[in-house]
Amino acid sequence: MCNAFRLSTPISAIEEVLRQLGLPLSYPETGATPNDWPQIEMTRPTNTLPVFRPLDPAQPGGGLTLVQQRWWLVPFFYRGETKAWKAMCTNARAETVATSRTFKGPYERRRCLVPADAYYEWTGEKGAKTRWRFERPDGDWWSFAGLWDRCETAEGPLESFAIITTTAGPDSAAYHNRQPVILDKADYARWLDLSADPAALLAPSPEGTLRVTQA
């Protein structure tokens, strides 16, 4: 599971890395870097959060755009009230994402990057749980492999996203049997390329990728 993460890296630092990767950020609506870039210590499901997706899905190397979306995917076929969608769709399992009724379409057509610089898990009994923070040893940011979708709810159009999870890697297995898919920066373009098969990217993080501390 991944139901809480942090985003504290300044947008300027993220922009620079994406530019070096050949995936420059554009802001079609404003033309400039947003002034309201969040500094989030801990997100929660249903929060509205920034994701990056291709300006043109047919040309993943043509740059990215920043979009604010709800974390907890509501699929395209849903037409009721948002609060009435009860299926827990903050995460999509790597093992079934290509065949799931909810996630198959987004996996094929609507992949995105979800920026973060830490995520959290809890261990222990209810009422006495310990919170653990997972981050890179150097403190650098990353992107989760994300999916997004758009639906027409009873309240109007809604865009939302989910984070793909996989079997826990060696750094996180002692704390949970699942972990979010953390993409190497060199694989961002491949993940967004709809003509490519990204299945090999949905793997546990190698040993040494994450530092775990009590939070």
Side-chain angles (χ1 to χ4, degrees):
M1 295 291 289
C2 176
N3 285 326
F5 64 90
R6 185 186 70 197
L7 177 58
S8 59
T9 304
I11 184 60
S12 57
I14 293 175
E15 285 179 317
E16 177 59 27
V17 171
L18 292 175
R19 189 160 43 244
Q20 293 173 4
L21 293 171
L23 295 168
L25 264 180
S26 298
Y27 305 97
E29 293 185 3
T30 64
T33 300
N35 293 323
D36 59 347
W37 178 254
Q39 294 287 307
I40 302 170
E41 177 56 31
M42 187 180 297
T43 63
R44 296 292 187 189
T46 74
N47 285 167
T48 298
L49 300 167
V51 302
F52 303 135
R53 66 192 200 201
L55 278 169
D56 181 353
Q59 298 182 18
L64 305 177
T65 186
L66 186 158
V67 182
Q68 301 284 342
Q69 295 183 335
R70 177 186 191 261
W71 182 24
W72 188 324
L73 188 142
V74 181
F76 73 94
F77 53 79
Y78 185 69
R79 294 292 183 270
E81 295 184 356
T82 303
K83 65 180 180 180
W85 176 258
K86 300 299 185 183
M88 189 69 170
C89 294
T90 53
N91 298 155
R93 293 177 66 90
E95 297 86 345
T96 58
V97 68
T99 57
S100 162
R101 179 175 182 240
T102 297
F103 297 119
K104 181 177 184 293
Y107 180 68
E108 293 174 350
R109 300 185 297 275
R110 291 177 169 171
R111 301 177 206 148
C112 63
L113 304 173
V114 182
D117 45 45
Y119 75 93
Y120 301 89
E121 295 290 358
W122 284 257
T123 60
E125 299 299 321
K126 185 176 181 180
K129 288 185 177 293
T130 300
R131 185 175 73 183
W132 303 95
R133 180 172 53 240
F134 300 76
E135 56 195 335
R136 289 195 185 278
D138 61 4
D140 196 13
W141 69 281
W142 65 66
S143 287
F144 297 126
L147 307 171
W148 69 278
D149 211 348
R150 180 188 294 116
C151 67
E152 291 289 337
T153 69
E155 300 91 355
L158 174 69
E159 292 190 351
S160 54
F161 74 92
I163 293 169
I164 300 181
T165 66
T166 188
T167 304
D171 297 331
S172 56
Y175 306 90
H176 202 284
N177 62 1
R178 307 287 296 176
Q179 70 153 89
V181 173
I182 297 173
L183 297 169
D184 288 337
K185 291 182 173 68
D187 291 326
Y188 287 179
R190 181 180 172 191
W191 170 246
L192 297 172
D193 184 355
L194 300 183
S195 67
D197 181 358
L201 302 180
L202 306 183
S205 300
E207 186 172 5
T209 300
L210 296 168
R211 175 180 64 197
V212 187
T213 54
Q214 188 172 337

